Amino acid sequence: QVQFVESGGGLVQPGGSLRLSCVASLSIFRTYAMGWYRQAPGKQRELVAHITSVSFTNYADSVKGRFTISRDNAKNTVYLQMNSLRPEDTAVYYCNMGRPVPDYWGQGTQVTVSS
């Protein structure tokens, strides 16, 4: 059974940084594209950052230049480094496949940006 376990969220002031981690119980992890997604209250879940199996990356316009996605295939882990955080980044952050599989959504990790 595939599971994604996210961690690293928290409360941070505007301008601060957080690093999220997602550990995947997924065989042949290295062959899959992965994504970080977020869902703010009252809004639809959106793709924030995407990384291919060979580490090509893409970002939503709203986070370009501030967020960095990376992966460590030896640890079955994908990361999201978030810098210069803004209140509008407040959301629950999830990881999933690059093409998300509905059954694979985990609990996510809450990120709150507030002074």
Side-chain angles (χ1 to χ4, degrees):
Q1 183 177 356
V2 175
Q3 278 190 316
F4 297 119
V5 179
E6 303 93 346
S7 63
L11 173 64
V12 63
Q13 291 187 342
S17 298
L18 284 173
R19 188 194 195 203
L20 307 184
S21 299
C22 169
V23 179
S25 62
L26 178 65
S27 61
I28 323 179
F29 169 81
R30 66 183 182 277
T31 68
Y32 292 99
M34 293 293 296
W36 277 100
Y37 305 80
R38 68 185 180 188
Q39 187 167 20
K43 294 189 177 181
Q44 287 191 330
R45 189 149 32 198
E46 62 174 349
L47 176 66
V48 172
H50 179 274
I51 186 166
T52 69
S53 61
V54 292
S55 294
F56 290 126
T57 59
N58 275 296
Y59 300 92
D61 287 343
S62 59
V63 307
K64 242 175 231 182
R66 301 188 297 123
F67 290 11
T68 303
I69 188 171
S70 61
R71 65 191 298 159
D72 184 339
N73 290 333
K75 296 181 179 179
N76 273 28
T77 301
V78 60
Y79 303 98
L80 186 67
Q81 177 66 44
M82 306 187 295
N83 298 328
S84 303
L85 283 162
R86 304 168 180 169
E88 53 264 39
D89 295 318
T90 296
V92 179
Y93 284 71
Y94 304 87
C95 68
N96 203 319
M97 315 290 283
R99 289 186 179 182
V101 177
D103 287 349
Y104 294 174
W105 293 116
Q107 296 298 309
T109 185
Q110 175 71 47
V111 172
T112 303
V113 185
S114 175
S115 54

